[in-house]
Amino acid sequence: MSRSTLPTARQNPFDPPQELRLWQAEGPIRPMTYADGHQGWLVTGYAATRAVLGDPRFSVRSELAHSPLAKPTSLSVPPGFFLRMDPPEHTRYRRLLTGEFTVRRMKALEPRIEAIVADQLALMERHGSPSDLVEDFALPIPSLVICELLGVSYQDREKFQRDSAMLLNVEAEPKRRETAFADLMTFLSELAVRKRAEPEDDLLSGLAAQRDLTEQELAGIAFLLLIAGHETTANMLALGTFALLSNPARLAALRDAGPEAVAASVEELLRYLSVLFHVVRVALEDVEVEGRTIKAGESVTLYLAQANRDAERFAAPEELDLTHSVAGHLAFGYGIHQCLGQQLARVEMRIAYPALLRRFPGLRLAVGSEEVPLRTDMAIYGVHALPVAW
Amino acid sequence: MKRGKGKSVMRVTVDVDRCSASGQCVLFAPNVFDQREEDGIVILLNPTPAPEDHAAVRQAAIACPTACIHVEET
């Protein structure tokens, strides 16, 4: 089998690059060449993805893993950035936070999120049609929510949004990503010092009260929560709206749906769009996966967006069917690193999509669908802008 | 899994040490699972769920990212 690199060009805004589907049909795992020339693996099968992500013989540490898309940088993982740690370090940090993101705690945020969504819709209406849905709706809502939850000033958003966008840009020059990283860490380190000196009623102040956490660790945790807390949901809101607008019947169904049907629709949008389209692991020892031997030190890319289209697991996986019931999709990952903030993301989406469609029943694309700029250059997929009118 | 005519009995156990507090089980089967206030770790509310909750418990077991829900049906 010939070695390929990971394609990023999309033939259709909602489907993974077409090669992924062809490769999945050939088998759940294949060899792949990484951005730095590393000879590793690509997994597209659902069962194989769960097997790797649930196996402690695979590490998440980025100093061991290679990137399928981005050029190597000198970036190191900041203290506290537990998404890139294995147990037991990972467990220690995650356990400090899991109580903050339970189903119950996130449900309690509903009224506040509803108010934020309503404010943002009112702002859109005042500015008038047309509007860029990313700028005016999809990005502000999760940004406002995570800022309020963490205790980060929303006035500083331009700063952290610019830096986090640069960090997620897989095509950017390594130097520019390194600068963005340093700037964001400086900003968050200063914030950590402030939260410890002058605590307020927010999540970071609560963490700062834990004396066994250093200010650098606090900054690293804040880094993770801030980026993960707005880039992901923002892209789901914008790309999800784009997908809904491309089919008026679907759009009307979600607009008029009750809470349970909305919840099911959100799960199906998560499965179908999988904006976190891939994650990477590295074998700590030789491991057999679907008849292939992954050698110790070899990287494995799990292409979640294609695994979520595996016909062996999902009926009619190429269709966006909002009446589908989809337990066990991989949009939030799988295993011990599965998204900590998933219940927050769900609450935000369940409120935001129907509120948008109800406020603007005539919502439509303001440009041709082929003119919408796709985020094929970013580690989290979506659209760079979504011009809409009503 | 038996699909006989008689009433099936379901026994659920959870491995608290493996739980990653994703909350998936609470989403699917809130009558059977809850989360601890302090750290979000699973609480098994009912180890022998009522038949009307069986389908939801099976879904929760599939969705659990650390496979810490074990379901036995007889």
Side-chain angles (χ1 to χ4, degrees):
Chain A
M1 200 182 289
S2 68
R3 296 230 171 207
S4 327
T5 53
L6 191 62
T8 55
R10 304 231 178 183
Q11 294 72 33
N12 167 317
F14 313 120
D15 297 334
Q18 61 191 5
E19 294 89 338
L20 274 300
R21 186 179 167 186
L22 300 173
W23 292 342
Q24 186 183 52
E26 289 172 10
I29 177 165
R30 61 186 283 126
M32 183 174 76
T33 300
Y34 283 60
D36 59 0
H38 172 71
Q39 301 296 301
W41 300 89
L42 171 68
V43 170
T44 52
Y46 177 87
T49 299
R50 294 221 325 180
V52 171
L53 293 179
D55 189 331
R57 293 173 296 172
F58 287 96
S59 168
V60 75
R61 290 165 57 194
S62 42
E63 68 271 29
L64 304 177
H66 297 261
S67 168
L69 295 173
K71 290 180 192 160
T73 64
S74 66
L75 293 180
S76 58
V77 175
F81 196 89
F82 59 91
L83 181 62
R84 292 280 167 267
M85 294 178 193
D86 296 328
E89 293 81 8
H90 165 263
T91 320
R92 175 185 163 231
Y93 292 112
R94 185 169 167 124
R95 284 280 166 102
L96 289 174
L97 291 161
T98 43
E100 305 283 345
F101 290 94
T102 60
V103 173
R104 190 182 295 112
R105 290 287 284 272
M106 295 302 103
K107 194 157 174 48
L109 294 180
E110 277 175 3
R112 184 62 197 125
I113 295 172
E114 279 165 4
I116 287 173
V117 169
D119 284 351
Q120 216 52 46
L121 288 169
L123 207 61
M124 262 177 84
E125 196 151 39
R126 273 208 302 284
H127 289 169
S129 171
S131 145
D132 172 11
L133 195 86
V134 173
E135 189 74 28
D136 295 336
F137 184 80
L139 191 55
I141 288 169
S143 299
L144 279 158
V145 172
I146 199 71
C147 280
E148 202 165 303
L149 193 64
L150 295 181
V152 175
S153 164
Y154 187 64
Q155 309 308 318
D156 291 329
R157 67 187 179 279
E158 278 183 26
K159 172 148 192 41
F160 70 74
Q161 284 173 353
R162 191 188 58 225
D163 289 336
S164 68
M166 181 59 70
L167 281 166
L168 292 171
N169 186 335
V170 293
E171 293 179 0
E173 279 312 306
K175 264 262 144 338
R176 299 190 64 193
R177 298 178 68 209
E178 287 161 13
T179 306
F181 175 84
D183 288 351
L184 193 51
M185 279 311 285
T186 304
F187 167 68
L188 292 171
S189 300
E190 288 166 7
L191 183 69
V193 171
R194 214 159 54 239
K195 291 291 171 191
R196 188 151 268 173
E198 304 156 35
E200 292 166 277
D201 182 20
D202 56 54
L203 196 155
L204 290 181
S205 296
L207 280 178
Q210 308 250 0
R211 287 290 150 183
D212 57 340
L213 283 179
T214 66
E215 276 151 10
Q216 284 310 303
E217 288 176 306
L218 280 173
I221 294 172
F223 188 137
L224 173 56
L225 299 183
L226 193 57
I227 294 185
H230 78 276
E231 286 280 356
T232 46
T233 306
N235 283 298
M236 269 307 297
L237 287 177
L239 188 63
T241 303
F242 187 13
L244 293 166
L245 289 176
S246 68
N247 183 327
R250 251 182 235 144
L251 187 118
L254 184 53
R255 185 181 58 224
D256 303 327
E260 274 190 25
V262 168
S265 300
V266 165
E267 297 307 308
E268 171 66 351
L269 284 164
L270 283 161
R271 178 198 71 84
Y272 183 71
L273 299 171
S274 297
V275 296
L276 178 70
F277 60 94
H278 78 299
V279 293
V280 182
R281 297 291 186 268
V282 57
L284 294 172
E285 56 185 86
D286 293 4
V287 183
E288 188 150 317
V289 176
E290 303 272 356
R292 300 294 195 118
T293 303
I294 319 284
K295 294 229 168 67
E298 289 180 342
S299 288
V300 184
T301 294
L302 296 312
Y303 206 99
L304 304 175
Q306 193 61 48
N308 269 338
R309 302 280 185 103
D310 190 339
E312 289 188 14
R313 175 62 183 77
F314 300 104
E318 304 296 330
E319 303 286 316
L320 173 63
D321 177 357
L322 299 181
T323 63
H324 238 162
S325 164
V326 284
H329 68 69
L330 302 169
F332 290 116
Y334 184 75
I336 59 169
H337 294 280
Q338 194 184 57
C339 182
L340 173 71
Q342 58 182 286
Q343 308 305 349
L344 176 58
R346 287 188 167 102
V347 169
E348 290 176 323
M349 285 185 273
R350 289 171 183 182
I351 292 171
Y353 288 127
L356 172 70
L357 302 179
R358 283 167 198 160
R359 176 71 77 109
F360 303 115
L363 194 73
R364 61 186 188 277
L365 277 184
V367 297
S369 61
E370 66 293 340
E371 289 171 64
V372 175
L374 306 178
R375 288 171 51 109
T376 53
D377 51 346
M378 305 298 274
I380 296 171
Y381 182 65
V383 293
H384 283 294
L386 190 70
V388 293
W390 57 86
Chain B
M1 191 188 305
K2 281 190 182 173
R3 291 206 175 275
K5 281 182 187 165
K7 270 190 186 171
S8 75
V9 175
M10 176 180 272
R11 280 179 202 290
V12 183
T13 52
V14 293
D15 183 345
V16 173
D17 293 336
R18 289 170 60 102
C19 175
S20 64
S22 73
Q24 298 266 16
C25 54
V26 182
L27 276 191
F28 283 106
N31 294 334
V32 181
F33 304 102
D34 198 355
Q35 289 177 283
R36 296 201 300 230
E37 196 62 45
E38 66 277 20
D39 59 6
I41 297 298
V42 62
I43 301 170
L44 183 59
L45 298 174
N46 184 356
T48 52
E52 59 266 30
D53 288 325
H54 287 188
V57 172
R58 286 184 210 113
Q59 298 259 51
I62 291 171
C64 174
T66 48
C68 67
I69 299 169
H70 302 284
V71 179
E72 249 184 74
E73 295 187 65
T74 49

